[in-house]
Amino acid sequence: MASSDQIQSPETANLRLLLLHRYPKFKTMFLSKLQTRYQILDPLTEPDPSPLSGLVRVMLCVGPTPVTSETLHKYPNLECIVGTSAGFEHFDLNECRRRGIIVTTAGDSFSDDVADFAVGLLIDVLRRVSAADRFVRAGCWPVKGEFPLAFKVGGKRVGIVGLGSIGSRVAKRLEAFGCTIAYTSKRKKPNVSFPFHSNIHDLAINSDVLILCCSLTKETHHIVGKEALTALGKEGIVINVGRGALVDEKELVQFLKSGEIGGAGLDVYENEPNVPKELFGLDNVVLSPHMAVFTPESFQVLEELFSYNLEAFFSNKPLRAQIEFE
């Protein structure tokens, strides 16, 4: 962390300098507003390293752009990273902790929209909405007759992997459908009545549906693999709105192709934007291009949050949606 002498120097104390950290393909719709409030340093459009690199105190990280130890090394006086993604696996949190850098995320900005999308994927897979649409558009109805029966949503045993901000909202929505809810998480949640399972196998064997809402960490990487898929069974459904690598994608493809599970609804993948081609021809699989978070309403909430955090940083006030280092 920067020394108190460095932080309080005239150059840094009065300069509202904001580092914009992003992938080249990411265009921020908020840039014009930011330029009216801050001096923007964008390494993609200016020399890197910039003469101003040593003066940077706060970074706006756009989406899941990686912030590595090498990135952080360029900015010796960095004190705060304001994130715009719900996840945090793209941050080198060990280095941030070591240097005393505050890190924030998108918090609850996307939670309602992602929960809606997870429920939408589940309804689509069970009721075969997208498959039925293709059936009609292809002219199959007059030729083949009745479309195969689909499955009821109500009464399903839903296992939620990660009962956090998104998972709890998924649970609330599916309770209204008459589903029964259980969950697994890092630890049992206080004041939560849903049954808790300490591991994914026990949750899967007691569920008809697994919905993945958790963060991607070393512990959750491939948390759904061969063992969990086998426990879920031939009629089981996997819904993933978390991160692609939560699921062993190769195993999932094989289970779906062989009919060893009932179906899947996927918004995220291990090697985006590349999706296993074997999934394209499966009518029991619903695919979307990592879009669960994207609504005008969620972006408005996100803008309000990161704008507040930037102003709070420069005003020396508490920040929201701050990561608590363990």
Side-chain angles (χ1 to χ4, degrees):
M1 189 171 182
S3 71
S4 58
D5 289 341
Q6 290 170 314
I7 294 173
Q8 297 302 322
S9 66
E11 293 92 344
T12 58
N14 299 317
L15 182 62
R16 288 166 61 89
L17 179 63
L18 175 62
L19 172 66
L20 189 64
H21 184 64
R22 62 185 177 90
Y23 280 123
K25 64 180 180 179
F26 285 177
K27 308 296 182 185
T28 174
M29 65 184 71
F30 313 116
L31 182 58
S32 59
K33 289 184 181 180
L34 292 171
Q35 287 173 327
T36 66
R37 302 171 186 168
Y38 311 104
Q39 180 177 343
I40 304 297
L41 174 60
D42 185 351
L44 295 181
T45 61
E46 301 177 37
D48 186 24
S50 164
L52 295 175
S53 296
L55 301 179
V56 169
R57 298 171 57 214
V58 60
M59 168 195 293
L60 180 65
C61 181
V62 181
T65 309
V67 179
T68 64
S69 58
E70 290 78 12
T71 305
L72 295 172
H73 182 71
K74 298 177 182 178
Y75 309 104
N77 287 322
L78 189 68
E79 301 173 45
C80 178
I81 302 172
V82 173
T84 63
S85 174
F88 49 78
E89 69 276 2
H90 54 294
F91 297 124
D92 188 333
L93 293 182
N94 288 331
E95 183 64 9
C96 290
R97 182 192 298 110
R98 187 188 71 81
R99 286 182 48 179
I101 298 172
I102 297 170
V103 182
T104 71
T105 69
D108 294 342
S109 300
F110 304 128
S111 298
D112 283 319
D113 299 283
V114 176
D116 289 346
F117 205 86
V119 173
L121 285 174
L122 177 59
I123 293 172
D124 197 338
V125 174
L126 287 172
R127 297 308 312 268
R128 297 179 176 172
V129 179
S130 293
D133 177 81
R134 291 190 294 270
F135 182 82
V136 173
R137 291 176 187 272
C140 296
W141 194 4
V143 177
K144 296 184 178 180
E146 297 301 317
F147 185 73
L149 288 175
F151 297 93
K152 184 176 181 177
V153 178
K156 291 292 183 289
R157 301 172 302 161
V158 176
I160 297 178
V161 184
L163 197 71
S165 177
I166 295 170
S168 59
R169 285 167 167 81
V170 171
K172 181 179 179 180
R173 285 155 171 75
L174 288 177
E175 273 195 304
F177 280 86
C179 297
T180 58
I181 308 296
Y183 74 99
T184 189
S185 197
K186 285 194 296 185
R187 58 186 67 88
K188 188 175 182 179
K189 304 287 184 179
N191 304 317
V192 171
S193 60
F194 303 134
F196 169 73
H197 296 280
S198 60
N199 60 77
I200 189 69
H201 177 271
D202 290 351
L203 181 67
I205 207 168
N206 288 286
S207 299
D208 303 309
V209 178
L210 287 180
I211 300 183
L212 284 80
C213 307
C214 62
S215 300
L216 178 62
T217 65
K218 291 180 180 179
E219 292 73 27
T220 60
H221 182 266
H222 284 186
I223 190 171
V224 173
K226 184 175 183 178
E227 181 182 358
L229 293 170
T230 301
L232 188 59
K234 288 184 176 295
E235 295 184 356
I237 305 295
V238 174
I239 304 294
N240 191 2
V241 291
R243 288 290 186 266
L246 295 172
V247 177
D248 186 331
E249 200 165 76
K250 291 182 179 178
E251 288 289 352
L252 178 63
V253 168
Q254 292 306 312
F255 269 71
L256 288 165
K257 286 174 60 179
S258 63
E260 293 180 77
I261 63 168
L266 307 173
D267 184 52
V268 289
Y269 311 89
E270 282 206 73
N271 187 29
E272 295 177 3
N274 301 302
V275 178
K277 294 180 180 179
E278 298 95 325
L279 299 177
F280 294 167
L282 300 178
D283 269 348
N284 59 340
V285 178
V286 178
L287 307 172
S288 63
H290 200 154
M291 58 174 286
V293 304
F294 297 133
T295 66
E297 294 85 353
S298 69
F299 279 129
Q300 181 178 349
V301 175
L302 175 64
E303 182 181 8
E304 291 171 358
L305 176 61
F306 77 68
S307 296
Y308 171 88
N309 277 339
L310 290 173
E311 286 301 310
F313 172 78
F314 284 111
S315 303
N316 198 29
K317 295 179 180 178
L319 278 64
R320 298 172 182 168
Q322 183 174 330
I323 293 176
E324 295 183 6
F325 296 119
E326 295 184 353

